[in-house]
Amino acid sequence: EAGVAQSPRYKIIEKRQSVAFWCNPISGHATLYWYQQILGQGPKLLIQFQNNGVVDDSQLPKDRFSAERLKGVDSTLKIQPAKLEDSAVYLCASSFGTGTGETQYFGPGTRLLVL
Amino acid sequence: AQSVTQPDIHITVSEGASLELRCNYSYGATPYLFWYVQSPGQGLQLLLKYFSGDTLVQGIKGFEAEFKRSQSSFNLRKPSVHWSDAAEYFCAVGGVNNNDMRFGAGTRLTVKP
């Protein structure tokens, strides 16, 4: 079974530039999550989708971050404009549903460095 | 709001020695508890999870964890560590929906030959 795919794996940009990350979840998984993992910290949920609808985006900085999951499969996370503090690993995860304790399967992440 | 504390930022153990990684949680109701492992450059992999029932949970790769409600703890253990266990370990607590999950800051494990 193929895992969660993410691209690119690494990205270096200058502040105020824009960047986009792509995620392809495990086939058949209805729920998709984007996490931000700052160095030395655990992952923090940014947004959760159920199919193509948003379940929770309470921790997404909406003034600069946006995410979409058109057609309920792939998803993109965009930052525009980027700030220095956005340097982090962006992890995508998917699960079959949203039930309590559904196992989340994580992709390898995209490491972003903002200069 | 729920939270997780992993008191040890970095632990070093010798190969073959036993391991215990500490995790303390704060949650108003019955918690759902998880341990994940993250190898360098990789995503997180679920080791084990606890919802209810037997407080001693068995996971993959020979790991186990014990839920102690009185101590608000969910410590991860392994009787004999292998060099391949060197990684970052994250404890997480969740509620009814997966969007409630909170991760600890992680414990980095180094294994000495």
Side-chain angles (χ1 to χ4, degrees):
Chain A
E1 175 182 85
V4 176
Q6 291 187 247
S7 68
R9 292 295 308 275
Y10 305 92
K11 191 73 177 180
I12 300 174
I13 62 173
E14 295 187 348
K15 59 183 179 183
R16 290 187 290 274
Q17 286 187 323
S18 63
V19 65
F21 313 128
W22 172 83
C23 173
N24 180 238
I26 292 173
S27 178
H29 280 194
T31 309
L32 185 146
Y33 315 78
W34 282 103
Y35 288 88
Q36 180 192 56
Q37 185 177 17
I38 293 173
L39 187 64
Q41 299 181 20
K44 182 185 80 170
L45 181 70
L46 292 176
I47 189 167
Q48 177 183 347
F49 292 94
Q50 173 74 6
N51 295 311
N52 60 351
V54 175
V55 174
D56 182 3
D57 64 356
S58 58
Q59 299 192 85
L60 186 73
K62 298 179 186 66
D63 58 333
R64 298 183 300 105
F65 286 66
S66 64
E68 60 182 12
R69 193 185 182 198
L70 301 175
K71 302 181 182 179
V73 181
D74 293 5
S75 176
T76 56
L77 176 69
K78 297 179 182 178
I79 308 175
Q80 182 179 3
K83 292 185 175 181
L84 296 177
E85 59 261 35
D86 298 332
S87 294
V89 176
Y90 291 85
L91 295 166
C92 179
S94 69
S95 64
F96 184 75
T98 58
T100 300
E102 284 265 0
T103 297
Q104 296 185 33
Y105 296 84
F106 285 80
T110 295
R111 188 176 298 274
L112 173 67
L113 179 60
V114 182
L115 302 176
Chain B
Q2 61 265 40
S3 65
V4 177
T5 301
Q6 294 182 247
D8 305 304
I9 296 173
H10 184 205
I11 283 183
T12 299
V13 300
S14 298
E15 191 169 15
S18 64
L19 171 70
E20 183 169 29
L21 302 181
R22 296 184 290 165
C23 172
N24 294 100
Y25 68 90
S26 172
Y27 193 71
T30 300
Y32 299 90
L33 296 158
F34 309 81
W35 274 101
Y36 283 87
V37 61
Q38 185 177 34
S39 299
Q42 303 295 316
L44 280 72
Q45 180 184 22
L46 181 68
L47 287 175
L48 48 79
K49 57 187 178 182
Y50 170 80
F51 297 154
S52 64
D54 193 349
T55 56
L56 185 62
V57 181
Q58 301 298 318
I60 62 171
K61 303 185 180 186
F63 286 92
E64 66 177 25
E66 186 171 12
F67 170 60
K68 293 185 177 181
R69 184 184 299 274
S70 61
Q71 298 177 20
S72 297
S73 70
F74 188 58
N75 294 349
L76 182 71
R77 300 193 295 248
K78 186 169 185 178
S80 177
V81 169
H82 188 262
W83 64 267
S84 61
D85 293 324
E88 188 96 19
Y89 290 81
F90 292 93
C91 181
V93 62
V96 173
N97 300 309
N98 274 338
N99 57 308
D100 290 341
M101 283 184 69
R102 294 290 186 268
F103 285 83
T107 297
R108 183 161 62 92
L109 174 65
T110 297
V111 180
K112 293 190 303 182

